[in-house]
Amino acid sequence: MAAIEKRTASDGSVSYRVKIRLRGHPVQSATFPSLSKAKQWAVQTEASIREGRYFQTAEAKRHTLAEAITRYEREKLGTMRAKEARKQHLDWWASELGALSLADITPAIIKERLGRLADTPSERTGKQRSASTLNHYRQALASVMTEAVKTWEWLDASPMVKVGKKTEPRGRVRYLSDNERERLLTACKESSNPDLYLAVLLALTTGGRQAETMGATWRQVDLSRATLQLEETKNGSRRALHLTAPVLELLRERAKVRRIDTDLLFPSKVNPRQPVDLRQPWEKALQAAGITDFHWHDLRHTFASMAAMNGATLPELAALLGHKTLAMVQRYAHLSPAHTAKIAERVAAQMVRA
């Protein structure tokens, strides 16, 4: 029998979810903008099932990929941290395959489009797209398909199951030597930009991501406990960064003269609601310090590398950097041979005594 449920979305729009349950057949469901269409589909589909004429792909044939992407952007994109990049990837899929129904989106078509993308140089850089970038495009489409299967019930199964990820090269590890670190901090301190030194020191001593530190607010700072509380991190979990004494001292001084029209630690002079853009002063500081092949994210690598060389274990590194698994910190394992050697010596000593 068919059951029709009226639903009202947060924006006030109304839809009608139909579910058909017949003994010996899987449950079929669909959503419609009007009650009349819902009733019409229910009658026709129930009759088709009883007569053996209904195929489970019927719902997938009713919706195009463009429709699915539009719904995904409306329901999911607003809460995403990297929503601009995700939207760019989704727009590409909409332009490539948007006119096709979900039933026509096969693994073969997806692989063909990803292959074409891999062979086409980026308009921005003029270079071939990396495996990581291609995986981001793949993941964008996979997220839409997952919603279509699990939430909207427009698909029985996602075609992305048969579309594998590209193998990405081992993560880059570039960290500052002691001499480079001293030169860079000196150059940042001498910079005409009043935010650069504190921002670099904060990133260098906490291992925080650029978006986490540059987008930090005073509400996240607890000077008495020496912490910077991160509520929304890249992997979705909360994490507290420890603020070292030099950073605390600078933050206390900054708190005395902080702007009252924004809560950001590093607000832009042009738009106080946005973080300051440090790209130019950062590049000038690197040049003044004579440091090459170094990016802002490498400050995080420097923090992790120093922690590893000072005896931090892989689980400890994962906790410091906010990783849920050890896979992302394996790249630092080779930096702590002395620490692991001490453990091996202790184990061997116990075995010899035994």
Side-chain angles (χ1 to χ4, degrees), residues 86-348:
R86 176 58 61 88
K87 188 177 188 312
Q88 175 188 342
H89 300 149
L90 291 175
D91 288 346
W92 183 83
W93 282 113
S95 67
E96 290 290 320
L97 302 174
L100 297 180
S101 72
L102 293 180
D104 294 326
I105 305 295
T106 64
I109 291 177
I110 297 170
K111 291 176 182 178
E112 187 273 332
R113 287 301 195 278
L114 283 173
R116 184 186 301 179
L117 182 65
D119 294 334
T120 305
S122 168
E123 294 180 359
R124 183 174 62 86
T125 64
K127 300 178 181 179
Q128 300 297 115
R129 292 174 174 85
S130 66
S132 175
T133 298
L134 294 173
N135 283 338
H136 286 313
Y137 276 91
R138 178 198 172 279
Q139 184 56 48
L141 183 58
S143 297
V144 174
M145 293 300 185
T146 297
E147 288 298 308
V149 173
K150 295 185 177 180
T151 306
W152 312 329
E153 298 182 13
W154 289 358
L155 274 175
D156 293 322
S158 171
M160 304 306 296
V161 174
K162 297 182 179 180
V163 181
K165 294 182 179 180
K166 300 290 183 182
T167 301
E168 298 184 25
R170 186 176 179 180
R172 174 182 185 271
V173 179
R174 165 70 164 98
Y175 59 93
L176 295 168
S177 65
D178 292 342
N179 184 265
E180 285 180 322
R181 187 176 66 254
E182 292 176 5
R183 299 202 315 264
L184 177 60
L185 289 175
T186 298
C188 292
K189 190 178 293 186
E190 295 174 351
S191 171
S192 59
N193 187 288
D195 296 313
L196 184 62
Y197 178 68
L198 176 56
V200 170
L201 191 64
L202 180 62
L204 197 57
T205 58
T206 63
R209 298 180 178 90
Q210 184 173 12
E212 295 169 345
T213 54
M214 294 307 300
T217 65
W218 286 102
R219 281 176 293 179
Q220 296 171 249
V221 176
D222 189 331
L223 295 176
S224 60
R225 295 184 178 180
T227 58
L228 172 61
Q229 184 68 44
L230 303 177
E231 298 295 339
E232 294 183 15
T233 62
K234 184 178 180 181
N235 61 23
S237 60
R238 297 178 64 191
R239 180 165 112 257
L241 303 180
H242 173 72
L243 302 176
T244 60
V247 172
L248 272 177
E249 183 180 351
L250 291 173
L251 284 175
R252 289 193 177 101
E253 291 299 318
R254 175 166 289 227
K256 297 176 183 178
V257 294
R258 56 168 291 195
R259 298 179 60 159
I260 61 174
D261 58 347
T262 179
D263 194 41
L264 288 170
L265 291 184
F266 304 104
S268 167
K269 291 183 179 180
V270 179
N271 183 0
R273 295 183 180 180
Q274 296 292 330
V276 65
D277 186 349
L278 294 178
R279 282 177 295 182
Q280 287 189 359
W282 166 251
E283 292 296 333
K284 288 182 180 179
L286 288 174
Q287 187 175 11
I291 296 174
T292 59
D293 187 32
F294 194 81
H295 311 299
W296 187 282
H297 192 74
D298 294 328
L299 295 171
R300 178 171 164 87
H301 289 318
T302 300
F303 171 81
S305 301
M306 290 294 292
M309 287 185 283
N310 280 277
T313 63
L314 293 186
E316 288 170 340
L317 282 176
L320 286 168
L321 298 175
H323 292 306
K324 289 186 176 181
T325 67
L326 299 183
M328 290 297 291
V329 294
Q330 286 288 346
R331 67 180 75 178
Y332 306 109
H334 69 287
L335 297 175
S336 55
H339 181 66
T340 53
K342 291 179 181 178
I343 297 175
E345 290 290 350
R346 289 200 298 269
V347 172

Side-chain angles (χ1 to χ4, degrees), residues 20 32 51 54 56 74 76 81 118 123 180 201 229 232 243 331:
I20 299 177
F32 301 87
E51 295 171 8
Y54 183 78
Q56 289 193 356
R74 183 176 67 249
K76 295 293 182 180
R81 290 181 62 85
E123 294 180 359
E180 285 180 322
L201 191 64
Q229 184 68 44
E232 294 183 15
L243 302 176
R331 67 180 75 178

